[in-house]
Amino acid sequence: MFWLAPPARFRLYTRAADYVHLLLDVLTGRTAAGDDVRQLERAVAARVGAAHAMCVPQARVGIHLAVRHLIRPGQAVVMSPYTIADVVNMVICAGGVPVFADIDPSSTNIAPADVERLIDDRTGAVLVTHLHGIACEVEAIAAICRAKGVPLIEDAAQAFGARVGGRSVGTFGDAGVFSFGMYKNVTAFYGGMVVTPNESLDRAMRSELADAPLMPLGALCAKAVSALVTDLVTAPLLFRTFVYWLFRFAHLHDIRAITRFVTVELDTSRKDRLPASYRCRFRPVQARMVRRQLDRVDANAAERVSYARIYHDGLSGLAGLVTPPFRDDGSCVYNYVPIQCEDREALVRWAMRRYRDMAVQHLKNCAALPAFAPEQRECPNADRTAAGTVLLPNYPGYGEAAVRRNVAVIREYVDAGAPCHERT
Ligand SMILES: *Cc1c(COP(=O)(O)O)cnc(C)c1O
């Protein structure tokens, strides 16, 4: 049984030391001690080549602050609909009116031509996303924004470490946002960073959080506990001897009481005001955790790129499959490898039966969500991508053999004519 089971579909980027450090700091009352937040800001600014960097309690708060200070209330923000609903909420809470541009199905990001077409005299900013760690065509979009005098914000929440033409994502426009959330490639359980070349913007954003309370220790510890549980159940020994078999059985027999633990049900409700709990400050203990991880970012990205190459070589061009672009120039760090097919549930089931573990991408097309009916817009590519995306496992340590096995199983599925029903 052990050898038959695959590695888990995802793993966190935490390490045992992170929990030990947090526990020691909590016990000795030092989670808020030290000027590590400032040091981390300097380290990240230097690393990405930004003049200013500011820690935020969550990346979405950084998006909120950047939008708020770059637009006038009521102005339009051209953005991707294929993102978490709260990013759309942050634009709305900041006084912006989301204008959704459809995505390119392969990169899953918005494309320069659509951005250019949607900019008009109501536009206050363009917000691009480098989803899945795949950089969008940010040079072209930045050139359009410059020519039209429209500020550019980059949501690089999933792309810390990616560089386009040698320059870090997040530094092509007026503000760039990284996430250090629990599932990201650099994690502080909660957190993020906004970088900007603009000193007055940096000052304005800082003043908004200057008197905010520190991130509540209870919330931080609760998140750490849930991360620890996740780390334990996805650890190879426990996962391959027990957890996988339980979830495989539950998946194949549709036992919701069990599968719900791995079903991501994102909050897709509308927010018109920034929740009070979002207004808090990053803790020094979190900054120390991020600093310990910075040295590993590039090596981790290189490993993911090597897996993405195998996926690309094995899967690109197969009938009925949309695969992401492959680039090894640093612009794609592939935090995930998203592929799309007609019936993704059938593909995941097929893979489960053949002792693989992969998951569907839970992101929705926000342009079609009831919560954003006033901003509704036809985005057929985002509809198809949201309904058809499967995330192929691609984390450091996953292993080349496991990647090859995934490729083989998906090729068999395509060769079998992508069967949709029961007997998969
Ligand atoms: C995770 C994520 C965010 C939000 O990050 P938080 O730190 O959780 O606020 C925003 N955009 C994208 C694309 C993300 O993946």
Side-chain angles (χ1 to χ4, degrees), residues 18-33 36 217 283-286 288-289 292:
D18 296 325
Y19 300 104
V20 174
H21 281 282
L22 177 61
L23 183 65
L24 288 177
D25 275 5
V26 169
L27 292 177
T28 57
R30 292 166 44 94
T31 61
D36 301 80
L217 205 47
R283 276 192 185 255
V285 64
Q286 296 175 280
R288 292 190 279 275
M289 181 168 164
R292 285 196 300 274

Side-chain angles (χ1 to χ4, degrees), residues 58-60 63 83-84 87 129 131 155 157-158 179-181 184 191:
Q58 300 183 79
R60 66 197 72 186
I63 293 171
T83 186
I84 60 173
V87 168
T129 309
L131 200 66
D155 177 351
Q158 295 190 5
S179 174
F180 305 139
K184 302 304 204 270

Side-chain angles (χ1 to χ4, degrees), residues 82-258:
Y82 191 50
T83 186
I84 60 173
D86 232 18
V87 168
V88 182
N89 280 326
M90 292 302 101
V91 169
I92 293 171
C93 294
V97 178
V99 172
F100 296 115
D102 204 358
I103 58 170
D104 168 73
S106 168
S107 73
T108 70
N109 292 318
I110 61 178
D114 291 311
V115 171
E116 180 152 40
R117 195 168 47 78
L118 289 170
I119 292 178
D120 60 21
D121 51 15
R122 298 167 46 242
T123 309
V126 170
L127 170 60
V128 295
T129 309
H130 303 288
L131 200 66
H132 301 120
I134 296 167
C136 72
E137 292 176 63
V138 67
E139 288 171 309
I141 293 175
I144 292 166
C145 288
R146 264 195 309 278
K148 304 225 179 206
V150 172
L152 171 64
I153 303 166
E154 295 172 77
D155 177 351
Q158 295 190 5
F160 188 74
R163 298 178 187 87
V164 174
R167 183 164 156 190
S168 283
V169 297
T171 64
F172 285 83
D174 300 84
V177 180
F178 304 107
S179 174
F180 305 139
M182 178 166 139
Y183 297 102
K184 302 304 204 270
N185 63 323
V186 172
T187 174
F189 301 122
Y190 277 115
M193 185 87 84
V194 195
V195 298
T196 177
N198 179 336
E199 183 174 357
S200 63
L201 176 61
D202 180 64
R203 210 173 319 115
M205 293 192 298
R206 276 179 194 283
S207 72
E208 293 236 15
L209 289 182
D211 63 345
L214 284 167
M215 162 104 44
L217 205 47
L220 188 61
C221 290
K223 200 71 159 188
V225 168
S226 98
L228 182 60
V229 170
T230 304
D231 272 334
L232 293 176
V233 299
T234 59
L237 189 63
L238 190 58
F239 185 79
R240 296 176 70 174
T241 49
F242 176 69
V243 178
Y244 176 68
W245 301 104
L246 177 70
F247 279 97
R248 179 175 184 270
F249 183 84
H251 189 95
L252 294 177
H253 297 87
D254 203 20
I255 302 168
R256 299 269 160 90
I258 296 173

Side-chain angles (χ1 to χ4, degrees), residues 404-424:
R404 292 190 193 285
R405 191 70 205 119
N406 290 341
V407 167
V409 163
I410 295 166
R411 290 190 69 104
E412 283 164 33
Y413 175 76
V414 172
D415 288 343
C420 313
H421 290 301
E422 294 317 304
R423 296 179 39 76
T424 61

